[in-house]
C-alpha cells in the first residue's frame, strides 16, 4: 500500500464479497473448532453459541448479497491438549477481531460496517473470556 501511495497509484478497492466470504470461512472454522473444544472444556459452550450466531448472521448477509447459501465444510482440527487449543482459539479470536475492525473501516455498506464493528467488539470480549478460562485451567 505504501509503495502504491508513493507511486501515486490508487489502492485497490475494498472487495465486499471477498471479505464477507473470508469471514464466513473463518467463522465456520471457528464454530467447528469451538464445538470440538466444548466437548473437552464445557465452559466453551456459551462461546461456541456466540460464534454460531455470528456465522448465522454472516450467512444471511452472504445470501442477501449473492443469492447463494454458504455450506459449512471445515472439519475439527484439535491438535494439542486443551490448554494449547484454548490458546489457539484465543489468538484466532484476537486476529478476527482486528480483521473485522479493519473491514468496518473500509466497508462501503452501512449494514456490513455496523455488523463488522459489533463482531469486532464481540470477539474482543470472546478472547477475554477464553483468556479467563485459560487462567482458571492454568
Amino acid at each position: 500500500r505504501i509503495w502504491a501511495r508513493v507511486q501515486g497509484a490508487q489502492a485497490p478497492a475494498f472487495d465486499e464479497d471477498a471479505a464477507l466470504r473470508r469471514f464466513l470461512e473463518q467463522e465456520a472454522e471457528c464454530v467447528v473448532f469451538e464445538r470440538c473444544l466444548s466437548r473437552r472444556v464445557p465452559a466453551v459452550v456459551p462461546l461456541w453459541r456466540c460464534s454460531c450466531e455470528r456465522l448465522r448472521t454472516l450467512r444471511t448477509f452472504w445470501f442477501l448479497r449473492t443469492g447463494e447459501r454458504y455450506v459449512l465444510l471445515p472439519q475439527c482440527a484439535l491438535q494439542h491438549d486443551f490448554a494449547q487449543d484454548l490458546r489457539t482459539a484465543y489468538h484466532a479470536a484476537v486476529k478476527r477481531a482486528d480483521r473485522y475492525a479493519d473491514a468496518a473501516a473500509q466497508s462501503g455498506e452501512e449494514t456490513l460496517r455496523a455488523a463488522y464493528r459489533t463482531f469486532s467488539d464481540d470477539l474482543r470480549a470472546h478472547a477475554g473470556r477464553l483468556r479467563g478460562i485459560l487462567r482458571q485451567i492454568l
Side-chain angles (χ1 to χ4, degrees), residues 1-12:
R1 285 188 213 162
I2 293 172
W3 183 251
R5 189 173 52 208
V6 168
Q7 294 299 315
Q10 289 283 35

Side-chain angles (χ1 to χ4, degrees), residues 10-16 106:
Q10 289 283 35
F14 182 70
D15 186 346
E16 296 281 358
Q106 297 178 44

Side-chain angles (χ1 to χ4, degrees), residues 21-39:
R21 176 73 179 197
R22 191 171 47 253
F23 287 134
L24 269 167
E25 292 166 354
Q26 291 169 354
E27 288 298 335
E29 289 172 5
C30 175
V31 164
V32 172
F33 188 81
E34 286 181 350
R35 176 64 182 142
C36 294
L37 195 56
S38 70
R39 292 179 183 146

Side-chain angles (χ1 to χ4, degrees), residues 49-68:
R49 288 185 179 135
C50 291
S51 296
C52 288
E53 187 57 35
R54 266 191 313 278
L55 180 61
R56 276 189 219 101
T57 302
L58 289 169
R59 286 177 68 182
T60 302
F61 282 131
W62 181 254
F63 183 77
L64 290 171
R65 286 185 67 84
T66 67
E68 299 172 4

Side-chain angles (χ1 to χ4, degrees), residues 66-88:
T66 67
E68 299 172 4
R69 291 179 186 218
Y70 180 79
V71 179
L72 184 70
L73 296 176
Q75 296 181 8
C76 188
L78 295 181
Q79 298 176 348
H80 304 286
D81 67 11
F82 59 89
Q84 285 294 334
D85 287 332
L86 280 170
R87 180 179 178 271
T88 299

